[in-house]
Amino acid sequence: MYQEFIESFLTYFEGQSDGIRIFKSPGRVNLIGEHTDYNGGFVFPAALTMDTTVLARPRNDRQINLIATDLKQMVRANLDELDKWKHLRWGNYQLGVADELQKAGYKLCGCDLMYDDKVPLGSGLSSSAAIEIATAVALVALGDSYHGIKREIDMVDLAKIAQKAEHNYIGVKCGIMDQFASAMGKKNMAIFLDCRDLTWEMVPLVMKGYKLVIANTNIKRSLGSEKYNERRSECEKGLEQLRHIFPDASYLRDISVDDFLTYQEEISDETIRKRVAHVVYENERVIKAVEALKKDRLEEFGELMNASHDSLRDLYEVTGVELDTLVEQARKVEGVLGSRMTGAGFGGCTVSLVREDKVQEFIERVGKAYNKVIGHDASFYITEAGDGGREIIY
Ligand code: GLA
């Protein structure tokens, strides 16, 4: 399989296959804990087996060249003038990561890079984090070898740097969840992550007799759309209004459900109060969901997924008719314990917990009903948790 990639790499960049290295990084599905990460809260994602593969070969100059298997136009840039490249339609994630790595002190070298992206773009499954982390691990590994630096790559640091690239190059003030999951994912594990201090616990994703099924609305979500940043600033406003009561709170995560119930009237704007309510309850749901999964209480896990979606629909208002239709139809199928949107919302995907013997029926029924209401097809993927960003020794 890699042989084909290598041949295709050589048609773009010529030369020898010696020195070509292969790196991979996955997309993610978030099981619960949505729009909590930038509020210093809890998330519970798993890395997917769908990923981005990068073939990378060092050069002896400062040139960085990018191509993708599904694109014909090569992007050629120079590592010493990366600021010029912020407005590319394709390539800005990669060059943003290169820029932020250098600003953080990593010594890179020129290189040729070829991408093969298998995470559906704009699907809410973090295709962008997959590209960012694959790029980061490739650039650091190549740079280290080139400059004779020997060390184990700090994947959490790469996640933070990739997040910065997304802030500064793409203009989305995202949290850390996607980059962290893509960098740190482990086969058959979900990651219970505390986004305030980045402590985490790997939780075995064992769901006896059940499967996680992802359904794609096939409505592309553009994270760049103002809405994401707008939600983030609404949360900041909410926290500001509670600060005189909780002067030490640095994130909404520091407000408990009880605190919220006692002081919610301090938040004068109703919309902002709703946003805060979502975050406060969602954090509590994540903690309960992790416990439920550990104790094999899948019904409870499913109920928490449902409550999370309803809150994202009614309080956070980031779902939309496509996601709501998928969820509504999913919940009608016998053997479905829970169904919710995953990722930022506004299109993208849902994730449902479906009894194994009902998966086929689920795909048929939900697919048909979705097409009838929305007018185009949804796509379905049966999920397994995969490994995070890494080099492939082939
Ligand atoms: C996007 C962002 C994440 C997170 C989710 C919502 O995926 O990149 O940081 O905020 O939305 O939970």
Side-chain angles (χ1 to χ4, degrees):
M1 165 191 187
Y2 294 120
Q3 199 47 42
E4 250 172 60
F5 281 154
I6 290 171
E7 277 161 26
S8 134
F9 181 97
L10 294 175
T11 63
Y12 292 120
F13 297 116
E14 301 178 343
Q16 305 298 320
S17 59
D18 300 359
I20 297 179
R21 292 167 70 177
I22 301 182
F23 302 86
K24 269 179 176 295
S25 204
R28 64 96 190 93
V29 58
N30 189 21
L31 304 178
I32 194 161
E34 221 65 82
H35 290 277
T36 43
D37 59 353
Y38 52 83
N39 288 302
F42 301 105
V43 292
F44 196 36
L48 296 172
T49 47
M50 288 186 273
D51 55 20
T52 282
T53 304
V54 187
L55 272 67
R57 192 178 60 188
R59 301 172 54 94
N60 278 322
D61 55 19
R62 298 284 291 161
Q63 191 73 15
I64 172 166
N65 298 325
L66 314 167
I67 189 85
T69 47
D70 58 351
L71 281 181
K72 293 290 154 256
Q73 190 70 35
M74 192 176 302
V75 169
R76 298 173 193 276
N78 188 289
L79 283 172
D80 297 321
E81 40 187 43
L82 287 172
D83 271 348
K84 280 191 188 165
W85 300 91
K86 285 199 172 170
H87 306 294
L88 289 173
R89 276 196 63 204
W90 183 83
N92 55 349
Y93 287 94
Q94 291 89 330
L95 297 180
V97 166
D99 195 20
E100 294 296 343
L101 281 170
Q102 293 194 130
K103 286 183 177 148
Y106 285 90
K107 285 173 85 178
L108 305 186
C109 62
C111 52
D112 296 325
L113 302 168
M114 185 187 87
Y115 289 80
D116 184 66
D117 299 311
K118 287 286 183 294
V119 188
L121 290 180
S123 61
L125 301 177
S126 291
S127 50
S128 54
I131 293 174
E132 288 157 6
I133 297 297
T135 304
V137 72
L139 291 180
V140 172
L142 258 59
D144 282 0
S145 303
Y146 189 87
H147 296 287
I149 300 166
K150 285 203 171 32
R151 64 172 149 197
E152 195 173 323
I153 295 176
D154 178 347
M155 295 302 289
V156 174
D157 197 42
L158 297 196
K160 290 186 199 161
I161 288 171
Q163 181 197 19
K164 259 193 205 154
E166 187 122 1
H167 286 195
N168 298 336
Y169 262 68
I170 316 300
V172 179
K173 300 284 176 207
C174 65
I176 189 73
M177 169 170 73
D178 303 349
Q179 290 77 12
F180 193 96
S182 185
M184 299 296 291
K186 283 267 165 301
K187 193 171 162 52
N188 299 330
M189 297 282 176
I191 311 170
F192 176 35
L193 174 66
D194 181 336
C195 298
R196 184 169 55 189
D197 58 10
L198 295 191
T199 50
W200 75 95
E201 181 189 341
M202 292 292 172
V203 181
L205 194 51
V206 182
M207 299 178 141
K208 250 178 261 145
Y210 284 82
K211 289 271 181 218
L212 286 168
V213 182
I214 293 176
N216 190 344
T217 58
N218 289 322
I219 295 283
K220 284 213 173 131
R221 169 192 56 81
S222 146
L223 248 194
S225 66
E226 310 287 282
K227 293 283 175 205
Y228 184 91
N229 291 344
E230 183 186 286
R231 290 295 178 281
R232 187 171 178 145
S233 74
E234 285 167 344
C235 289
E236 282 158 12
K237 282 184 198 139
L239 179 63
E240 218 29 67
Q241 298 194 9
L242 292 171
R243 261 251 173 72
H244 66 284
I245 302 181
F246 302 101
D248 295 333
S250 38
Y251 293 104
L252 275 186
R253 136 77 184 283
D254 300 316
I255 311 298
S256 69
V257 168
D258 280 349
D259 294 340
F260 175 73
L261 288 174
T262 313
Y263 296 107
Q264 55 178 312
E265 298 306 325
E266 300 293 322
I267 305 173
S268 49
D269 182 295
E270 201 197 319
T271 302
I272 295 193
R273 206 180 311 135
K274 286 195 322 196
R275 308 295 190 243
V276 173
H278 166 74
V279 173
V280 165
Y281 283 97
E282 183 79 351
N283 273 322
E284 196 182 67
R285 278 190 286 270
V286 180
I287 296 170
K288 287 185 179 160
V290 172
E291 270 318 293
L293 183 63
K294 284 183 181 168
K295 303 214 165 103
D296 218 11
R297 295 196 305 250
L298 292 187
E299 280 186 11
E300 185 186 341
F301 193 90
E303 278 161 21
L304 290 161
M305 289 173 81
N306 285 340
S308 168
H309 182 87
D310 297 351
S311 172
L312 288 155
R313 181 189 61 210
D314 302 335
L315 300 177
Y316 219 65
E317 298 177 283
V318 291
T319 57
V321 58
E322 294 86 3
L323 286 167
D324 289 337
T325 302
L326 281 178
V327 161
E328 208 177 290
Q329 296 302 328
R331 291 179 187 169
K332 286 185 189 163
V333 179
E334 195 206 323
V336 172
L337 295 185
S339 184
R340 62 181 291 275
M341 56 156 269
T342 184
F346 318 109
C349 288
T350 64
V351 56
S352 306
L353 185 51
V354 187
R355 212 169 71 206
E356 239 158 31
D357 62 334
K358 291 285 179 184
V359 168
Q360 217 35 53
E361 179 183 337
F362 174 92
I363 292 175
E364 275 157 31
R365 280 185 52 189
V366 176
K368 206 163 160 201
Y370 180 78
N371 186 301
K372 197 163 164 209
V373 179
I374 304 296
H376 66 248
D377 283 340
S379 315
F380 296 86
Y381 325 99
I382 300 164
T383 324
E384 273 166 39
D387 281 321
R390 65 205 181 276
E391 180 163 10
I392 303 293
I393 305 300
Y394 65 99

